[in-house]
Amino acid sequence: MLFRRVFKFTLNTVRHKSRQSNFEYCVNLVKNNDYDSYLTTLLTPKQVLRPAFALRAFNIEISTIGKSAVDSRVGEAKIIYWKDQIDKVFNSLNSSSTEQTARFNDPISQEIYLMVKHFNLSKARFSRFIEAKKNFLTIQQFKNCDELESFADFSNMSYILFNCLGVNSVDCDHAANHIGKAQLLCFVTKNLLKNPTQMVYYLPGDLLIKHKISQQDLFNFSERILRPKRQNLKNLAFDLCSRANDHIRCARNLNDKIAQNAKPILAGSISCDVFLSKMQKYDFDLMDPKLNSNFRTSFLIKLILAKLKNNY
């Protein structure tokens, strides 16, 4: 209860300072779609908390675009929409009108406009993110983990927050790069059997071949089909988790070189750490029902400790 009150107080303080509902919309979108990211983002330095939630919300809008035959046209339309919105945000910067936010069709675009204007951000990172998702919709499969991790790097929003903080450090970028890759690897592993028809597109082809699992096995997902391949799935999960763990270790080895105000931006490593510990505890068995148990208490404790010790 104490932990929850601490987080609630932090959020309420920011909300009272904001006269606009756009920020609250972004906060609620993140809270309802990715609660762990919501808690992690609350650790962000106050001066960039609002941009952090806007970026998280933008990330959710793009990342939740599906890749099934049913979703493809909707996905393409959303990609076009957000490309147009980002173009409009940066084109509007040259306008002398004082009511720019009224021109945008949704709260996220309005928040991005304010963020870009206040922090004088570049368009490149936003465009790379959208382009990466657009390209993802056209491929059948990543060939290997390197391709998957390249996609993760293009989707990494931490670089923009470093710019907002005025942090220009190769070490910070390097740590964020590793954590972003670990987050995607953990995301794919965590959701592999929860949403197999979507996660199958993320799984590198070389790993599926190595562990003798076909895309069709996952498209036609059922416990009856996959139970004979339970050990294969454990081995696949172990490889993904091992790679994610290596990235977390590399990022944390840079801890002494990271600016103090930049460390909360890297707190995404904590949720990865908790998930990887849980996977190890249950022998990387994705079919073990205990994996669905709630580990939020340990996650909250680690978040609090990271805040107190100012590490990630």
Side-chain angles (χ1 to χ4, degrees), residues 193-204:
L193 297 189
K194 295 179 181 179
N195 191 7
T197 57
Q198 290 297 323
M199 293 304 105
V200 66
Y201 294 107
Y202 290 93
L203 288 172

Side-chain angles (χ1 to χ4, degrees), residues 18 22 35 40 48 109 114 154 175 194 196 209 211:
S18 173
N22 302 328
Y35 195 71
T40 301
V48 294
S109 298
L114 293 174
F154 282 122
K194 295 179 181 179
I209 293 172
H211 298 295

Side-chain angles (χ1 to χ4, degrees), residues 153-278:
D153 191 42
F154 282 122
S155 306
N156 198 325
M157 297 282 102
S158 297
Y159 305 122
I160 297 176
L161 287 178
F162 288 148
N163 290 339
C164 293
L165 280 173
V167 174
N168 184 15
S169 165
V170 173
D171 292 319
C172 286
D173 288 348
H174 194 189
N177 175 281
H178 282 296
I179 291 172
K181 291 174 179 177
Q183 285 178 305
L184 182 57
L185 290 166
C186 290
F187 169 78
V188 173
T189 308
K190 182 179 182 179
N191 292 284
L192 182 55
L193 297 189
K194 295 179 181 179
N195 191 7
T197 57
Q198 290 297 323
M199 293 304 105
V200 66
Y201 294 107
Y202 290 93
L203 288 172
D206 60 347
L207 281 185
L208 289 178
I209 293 172
K210 175 183 177 181
H211 298 295
K212 298 179 181 179
I213 300 172
S214 69
Q215 283 189 320
Q216 204 61 38
D217 290 334
L218 296 168
F219 279 127
N220 300 328
F221 171 74
S222 73
E223 188 171 325
R224 179 182 60 81
I225 292 174
L226 287 179
R227 186 158 292 279
K229 296 189 175 183
R230 188 170 186 169
Q231 186 60 47
N232 304 62
L233 286 169
K234 287 173 67 173
N235 294 337
L236 173 63
F238 175 79
D239 280 356
L240 291 170
C241 290
S242 295
R243 194 163 178 122
N245 186 61
D246 288 343
H247 284 301
I248 294 298
R249 290 175 61 186
C250 287
R252 288 178 171 172
N253 285 339
L254 294 167
N255 182 64
D256 293 340
K257 299 179 180 180
I258 304 300
Q260 293 300 307
N261 63 338
K263 288 183 179 180
I265 306 299
L266 304 173
S269 64
I270 299 170
S271 61
C272 292
D273 189 39
V274 172
F275 173 73
L276 293 172
S277 297
K278 179 168 68 170

Side-chain angles (χ1 to χ4, degrees), residues 9-26:
F9 175 79
T10 305
L11 180 56
N12 286 339
T13 301
V14 178
R15 280 181 174 172
H16 292 154
K17 289 183 178 179
S18 173
R19 296 182 179 180
Q20 300 183 33
S21 62
N22 302 328
F23 173 66
E24 288 190 23
Y25 174 88
C26 293

Side-chain angles (χ1 to χ4, degrees), residues 4 7 29-42 60 296 299-300 303:
R4 291 186 180 181
F7 283 121
L29 183 66
V30 177
K31 184 177 181 180
N32 294 332
N33 287 273
D34 188 350
Y35 195 71
D36 286 353
S37 289
Y38 161 74
L39 293 176
T40 301
T41 306
L42 290 173
I60 288 171
R296 187 149 289 146
F299 176 56
L300 283 169
L303 278 180

